[in-house]
Amino acid sequence: MKNYRILTLLLLIVLSLTHCKKAMIPPVKAPFDNVDKYAINDWWNYAAKVRGTKSMILDLEVPRDEVVCFGIYTTHKKVLKLTAQLFPLYPDETREVRLELKKDGNWIEVASQKVNDIGWSTTFRIENWDETNNVPYRLRHGENAVFEGLIRKDPINKNEISAALLSCNSNKDRGMREEFSRNINYLDPDVVFFVGDQSYDHKEHTAAWLLFGLQFREVFRNRPCVTMPDDHDIGQYNLWGEGGKKASSMTGDDGGYFFSPEYVKMVERCQTAHLPDPYDPIPVKQGIGVYYTNFLVGGIDFAIIEDRKFKSGPKGKIPQQGPRPDHIIDSNYDPKSIDLEGLTLLGERQLKFLQDWGQNYEGVAIKSVVSATGFCGGAHRHGKFENYLHADLDCNGWPQTGRNKALRLLADAGAVHLAGDQHLATLVQHGIDEYRDGPFAFVSPAIVNTIYRRWWHPLDEKSGNNKDPKNPLEFTGDYQDGLGNKITMHAYANVEGPEKLNDGFGFIRFNKKEKSVKFESWARFTDVTKKEAKEMEGWPRTIYRNDSDESMTWTIDTLK
């Protein structure tokens, strides 16, 4: 009888606690509905609802000593910006997050501030940062939740500066990405770039972003990292931002943003608040912010641009040439018919930024522009091999006039271009007026290539003009893409069946003395710690800058 009473009492206590938790009142009501349900309002009730279901992204109801998921940071011109990303908090928990630095063997609290209940992040900004020393840091919440990392010194004294380049983190595989952590940490880049589609869970950014953090936090725990949201991150299938206007659907092809601007701002806050201060912080329409800026790492000057935010949407502005406003099927169409006056790619504000940035070489050895996607149609077949698509207006090859304006500025700056998005690793040299008069561009492979595969495989199955006979890849040489843009293809990594998806990551080595850039493309499950490890076929390739005149042109290595 006594044991029965004890069990009854325990059951009543559990039921009481469960009821109390359900009845808790959120201190902040989300400014949007039907998105981010995992993390807003009475999120704990939603967590209970989805727990154990096949569609669950991540259980956000974690032990309270684990609520600090990760920290992510950059240092630039003596300013540290560090974002603390938390799991959702209960109404009765403190919103205060504390930043501590280790100095002379002791942890010292240097700042504290409140986390935002919408997105569960907060960003510390510390000026007069000493970039000459490595500094351990830790983020704390409450008594027991801690995340530790290392703020690296600026590697200005190193000759070779390296960067990892990643994008397209498919939600068809929610594994922990240990192979990426192993490989990237072994190669030990000075900086990591995630250039878009960190999330494919369109309406649930916070849950997907937290999962991304768990998957990759060992990559950026101890080094600076840039994250840039692309279309899927903000909930759309494609994004032509058109200066922040409202889009009419998730396809976004009429231009603008479909979901609440508060949702978009939350996504951008979580992913970009830790970047160096924007060049021009004036918001666009609907109060949506901007983050285009530059970032110096060891004498390499990266321009981070938003190639989607100002771009015109195709629907209703150009003659439709296929089943969708953004897809062109007819190979006999006139590319000039869609390159119309008034269409925008980067927008005047970003063009001014690139012009100013490109002229400033003080303390800079090599310049690079980083964006979500490439400035050409770098794929012929989409989704399935038999699905030939002549031109895709989602790429930055359209509008062509805007593309050429941007590429002239990159060429004038002597910059190389880094991007993602295409699910297909490529290395091209752009042509503006003539073949090979524009910048080189490296597009990284997808992190996981299971959602939407692409191939560089011309319909006529012919090599391009002026193909290097020593290049083992058949479809290399001079081509025009489906938009009439001139490109010289040097390397590509097509899907070759379910056992060779050619997903993985890019790795770039900037050699300041040689004025060279080496592009590497590594397959996801290759173990780079092994001596026999080989890159994707066609890589690595190295380009060299010619400084004999003011043009700063680049030439590619000679294959043996």
Side-chain angles (χ1 to χ4, degrees):
M1 180 65 73
K2 184 177 181 181
N3 289 339
Y4 175 78
R5 288 175 179 173
I6 291 172
L7 289 172
T8 302
L9 179 61
L10 289 173
L11 179 61
L12 288 172
I13 291 171
V14 170
L15 290 172
S16 175
L17 289 173
T18 302
H19 175 74
C20 288
K21 190 164 70 171
K22 284 185 177 180
M24 287 188 294
I25 299 174
V28 176
K29 187 180 186 307
F32 40 72
D33 297 310
N34 300 318
V35 289
D36 222 43
K37 292 185 288 186
Y38 274 74
I40 61 171
N41 303 335
D42 59 338
W43 60 269
W44 53 91
N45 289 328
Y46 194 78
K49 180 180 178 181
V50 300
R51 185 173 294 120
T53 64
K54 290 183 178 180
S55 61
M56 186 181 75
I57 299 169
L58 183 68
D59 191 346
L60 302 195
E61 202 162 16
V62 299
R64 306 328 285 167
D65 61 352
E66 298 176 13
V67 295
V68 183
C69 185
F70 62 87
I72 189 168
Y73 73 89
T74 62
T75 62
H76 174 74
K77 294 185 176 180
K78 298 184 178 181
V79 175
L80 165 68
K81 296 182 74 176
L82 190 157
T83 290
Q85 180 63 56
L86 274 65
F87 283 89
L89 300 173
Y90 294 117
D92 59 352
E93 290 184 293
T94 179
R95 267 47 181 170
E96 183 185 58
V97 182
R98 310 185 305 278
L99 172 62
E100 297 179 348
L101 303 176
K102 198 170 191 178
K103 297 180 179 180
D104 300 323
N106 299 310
W107 287 105
I108 299 173
E109 183 177 319
V110 295
S112 66
Q113 54 195 48
K114 289 186 176 181
V115 68
N116 192 327
D117 283 42
I118 308 303
W120 301 105
S121 69
T122 189
T123 301
F124 296 92
R125 187 181 195 278
I126 298 180
E127 298 183 356
N128 299 314
W129 181 258
D130 181 2
E131 295 182 285
T132 64
N133 292 300
N134 293 326
V135 180
Y137 78 90
R138 66 185 185 188
L139 297 164
R140 305 199 64 175
H141 176 269
E143 291 297 320
N144 300 313
V146 179
F147 178 87
E148 293 189 20
L150 178 72
I151 300 167
R152 289 195 183 192
K153 65 181 180 181
D154 182 53
I156 190 65
N157 294 321
K158 290 177 61 178
N159 175 51
E160 182 180 275
I161 304 299
S162 59
L165 181 66
L166 304 96
S167 67
C168 305
N169 187 32
S170 170
N171 63 0
K172 298 300 182 183
D173 175 354
R174 298 200 190 277
M176 282 295 106
R177 313 287 190 256
E178 295 94 341
E179 64 279 6
F180 285 94
S181 297
R182 176 199 65 211
N183 285 342
I184 293 173
N185 284 330
Y186 179 80
L187 293 173
D188 194 20
D190 297 291
V191 61
V192 179
F193 291 93
F194 290 92
V195 295
D197 297 341
Q198 285 69 252
S199 161
Y200 280 85
D201 293 287
H202 298 102
K203 297 181 180 181
E204 295 293 345
H205 179 264
T206 299
W209 178 241
L210 286 163
L211 177 58
F212 164 82
L214 294 177
Q215 290 169 329
F216 287 103
R217 64 185 179 183
E218 297 310 318
V219 169
F220 53 76
R221 181 188 292 271
N222 298 320
R223 59 176 58 84
C225 180
V226 169
T227 49
M228 303 159 54
D230 199 8
D231 42 17
H232 295 285
D233 295 287
I234 56 93
Q236 294 180 208
Y237 303 123
N238 287 303
L239 174 61
W240 298 268
E242 210 160 301
K245 69 180 278 286
K246 173 70 176 174
S248 63
S249 71
M250 280 180 65
T251 60
D253 50 20
D254 63 326
Y257 293 80
F258 177 67
F259 288 111
S260 163
E262 297 303 319
Y263 182 67
V264 175
K265 287 192 284 185
M266 179 199 75
V267 172
E268 293 192 350
R269 181 171 61 249
C270 289
Q271 293 208 26
T272 70
H274 69 286
L275 301 187
D277 295 343
Y279 172 82
D280 170 12
I282 299 173
V284 295
K285 294 174 183 176
Q286 301 192 82
I288 295 169
V290 298
Y291 56 85
Y292 60 91
T293 187
N294 76 301
F295 178 30
L296 274 166
V297 181
I300 309 303
D301 192 5
F302 297 97
I304 299 165
I305 62 172
E306 301 183 66
D307 44 347
R308 312 290 201 183
K309 185 157 282 177
F310 298 91
K311 185 176 179 179
S312 301
K315 185 176 181 180
K317 301 181 185 70
I318 61 171
Q320 188 162 322
Q321 307 281 349
R324 290 169 34 172
D326 57 322
H327 281 182
I328 295 174
I329 305 299
D330 182 8
S331 60
N332 295 315
Y333 91 110
D334 180 4
K336 294 179 181 178
S337 69
I338 61 168
D339 186 25
L340 304 180
E341 187 176 354
L343 295 175
T344 297
L345 181 56
L346 297 185
E348 293 302 318
R349 291 172 60 181
Q350 287 195 106
L351 292 176
K352 181 181 184 301
F353 160 62
L354 286 175
Q355 185 174 28
D356 292 348
W357 169 82
Q359 294 172 353
N360 182 8
Y361 257 85
E362 183 179 354
V364 173
I366 300 173
K367 285 182 177 285
S368 177
V369 171
V370 184
S371 70
T373 196
F375 285 96
C376 68
H380 299 104
R381 301 167 188 273
H382 293 233
K384 299 179 180 179
F385 181 79
E386 58 270 22
N387 289 348
Y388 178 81
L389 181 59
H390 187 69
D392 182 6
L393 305 189
D394 176 57
C395 78
N396 287 341
W398 177 83
Q400 299 93 318
T401 296
R403 175 250 190 195
N404 291 337
K405 285 181 180 179
L407 291 181
R408 289 186 202 282
L409 290 173
L410 269 65
D412 289 346
V416 297
H417 181 222
L418 307 177
D421 177 59
Q422 291 296 300
H423 299 240
L424 169 64
T426 57
L427 177 63
V428 306
Q429 184 176 10
H430 290 288
I432 304 171
D433 299 311
E434 305 292 340
Y435 285 102
R436 294 174 296 283
D437 66 352
F440 280 84
F442 177 38
V443 171
S444 66
I447 293 170
V448 178
N449 209 8
T450 56
I451 274 192
Y452 196 75
R453 302 168 187 176
R454 290 188 173 99
W455 291 259
W456 173 261
H457 191 110
L459 195 60
D460 63 9
E461 299 190 326
K462 292 182 179 180
S463 300
N465 293 331
N466 302 306
K467 178 187 183 298
D468 184 343
K470 296 180 181 178
N471 193 320
L473 299 170
E474 183 177 2
F475 305 125
T476 52
D478 295 339
Y479 290 89
Q480 281 195 357
D481 69 9
L483 296 157
N485 300 310
K486 297 178 177 67
I487 58 172
T488 301
M489 180 64 69
H490 291 286
Y492 57 89
N494 286 334
V495 172
E496 297 180 24
E499 301 304 317
K500 194 172 182 181
L501 296 175
N502 274 330
D503 41 15
F505 66 97
F507 201 82
I508 305 95
R509 302 178 188 271
F510 300 88
N511 189 302
K512 294 188 286 188
K513 290 181 180 178
E514 288 186 354
K515 297 294 192 294
S516 68
V517 183
K518 184 180 182 181
F519 303 103
E520 302 175 6
S521 192
W522 291 98
R524 176 183 179 185
F525 293 110
T526 296
D527 186 347
V528 306
T529 70
K530 305 296 185 182
K531 288 184 178 179
E532 64 272 18
K534 293 184 178 180
E535 298 178 44
M536 296 177 184
E537 186 179 15
W539 277 271
R541 297 300 301 270
T542 304
I543 61 174
Y544 299 88
R545 197 173 77 198
N546 177 12
D547 286 350
S548 60
D549 56 35
E550 294 183 359
S551 63
M552 290 194 295
T553 57
W554 295 81
T555 56
I556 197 164
D557 56 1
T558 301
L559 293 173
K560 299 179 180 179

